[in-house]
Amino acid sequence: MDILTQILNMNAGGAYGGGKAGGAFDPLTFAMKPQVVIRALCWLFSIVVFGCISSEGWRTDENGKEVCLYNGDGMACKYGNTVGVFGFLASMAFIVGEYLFERMSSVKSRKRYVMADMGFSAFWAFMYFIAFIYLWSQWSSAPMPPGGVGASNMEAAIFFAFLSIFVWALCAFLAYKRFLIGAGDEFTSAFETDPANVVHQQAYTSYSMDNDNDQYSTSPFSGQQQQQQGMEQQGMEYQQPTY
């Protein structure tokens, strides 16, 4: 629930949903960030995928040749390993990037990082989707290995490849949410600093102040008082004619 609350309140803080640059580093707060928690899951799932395939994904046949347990398709084992290894390295790189993100004082640097995070995460979610379909289709038509050795590892690799689709897609969603926050801040800043908007705001403010001053400086009864004073002066100056 705490992580979900942090995801919903990502707009609090500095530019692009991050903290203020130069702030004090709190390891516990950093470890509880949604981006860090989900990246840690990406890192863990990637270890399981390439670990299961590389440890028991191959067996030696009667001719002494290495054969992949995924229906003898060596490309399936290699592709699963590749996606897992690069996912493992990318997850570590983005965790380090989250640490550096809080210390980026340049808004442009934060924007580049968020865009790279969003693009790569979406792409790797798609790569894991291909890996899941590829491995599952090959495993469904593969014969059971002798003694069932390695079967549980192959199924675990498929299962965690399936889970990796969602965690990488969630990383892309969080990066997209960050991008929207930053784009909104840039639009507001640009609108407030636009010279045309500043001139219009100043003109409107000046016009409002002039109208207020005119309204409150002139009494509504001043015209009637002046008319009465004029009539009294005429009455005092009038002299009765002598006959």
Side-chain angles (χ1 to χ4, degrees):
M1 291 298 294
D2 293 338
I3 296 177
L4 180 60
T5 303
Q6 294 182 33
I7 293 175
L8 296 176
N9 296 328
M10 281 179 59
N11 54 344
Y16 285 92
K20 301 293 184 181
F25 176 71
D26 185 5
L28 182 60
T29 303
F30 175 78
M32 292 301 295
K33 287 181 60 177
Q35 291 84 358
V36 176
V37 173
I38 298 171
R39 287 295 178 193
L41 292 178
C42 294
W43 176 78
L44 178 62
F45 293 170
S46 298
I47 292 177
V48 175
V49 171
F50 81 79
C52 290
I53 296 176
S54 60
S55 61
E56 294 186 349
W58 302 84
R59 67 178 181 86
T60 305
D61 60 3
E62 59 276 4
N63 298 324
K65 184 180 179 180
E66 293 288 332
V67 178
C68 177
L69 294 184
Y70 289 114
N71 201 26
D73 188 354
M75 285 301 298
C77 288
K78 292 178 181 178
Y79 182 80
N81 270 332
T82 301
V83 173
V85 169
F86 279 97
F88 166 78
L89 296 176
S91 300
M92 293 182 61
F94 279 113
I95 291 175
V96 175
E98 286 297 326
Y99 171 79
L100 299 176
F101 183 78
E102 301 292 338
R103 282 149 183 77
M104 295 180 185
S105 58
S106 173
V107 177
K108 291 184 178 180
S109 298
R110 288 192 174 192
K111 181 179 180 179
R112 295 191 189 100
Y113 174 81
V114 170
M115 293 181 67
D117 184 5
M118 180 172 56
F120 185 87
S121 297
F123 174 70
W124 219 248
F126 177 70
M127 294 291 286
Y128 264 113
F129 174 75
I130 296 177
F132 168 71
I133 296 298
Y134 189 13
L135 299 180
W136 175 76
S137 63
Q138 293 297 328
W139 179 249
S140 61
S141 57
M144 182 62 62
V149 178
S152 59
N153 279 30
M154 300 300 96
E155 293 172 353
I158 295 173
F159 177 71
F160 280 95
F162 176 73
L163 294 180
S164 296
I165 299 172
F166 298 98
V167 291
W168 281 96
L170 184 56
C171 288
F173 171 75
L174 293 180
Y176 176 70
K177 188 175 177 64
R178 271 181 169 178
F179 180 78
L180 291 181
I181 294 172
D185 293 341
E186 287 184 354
F187 175 79
T188 303
S189 177
F191 179 81
E192 292 177 349
T193 57
D194 189 354
N197 294 327
V198 172
V199 171
H200 289 313
Q201 290 176 359
Q202 291 177 350
Y204 176 76
T205 303
S206 177
Y207 175 77
S208 300
M209 292 178 64
D210 292 341
N211 286 344
D212 292 341
N213 293 333
D214 293 341
Q215 181 179 357
Y216 294 104
S217 62
T218 304
S219 174
F221 303 101
S222 60
Q224 297 179 2
Q225 293 177 356
Q226 291 177 0
Q227 291 179 0
Q228 293 177 359
Q229 291 176 0
M231 294 176 62
E232 292 176 357
Q233 290 178 359
Q234 291 178 1
M236 293 175 63
E237 294 177 356
Y238 176 76
Q239 296 180 359
Q240 185 177 2
T242 58
Y243 297 98

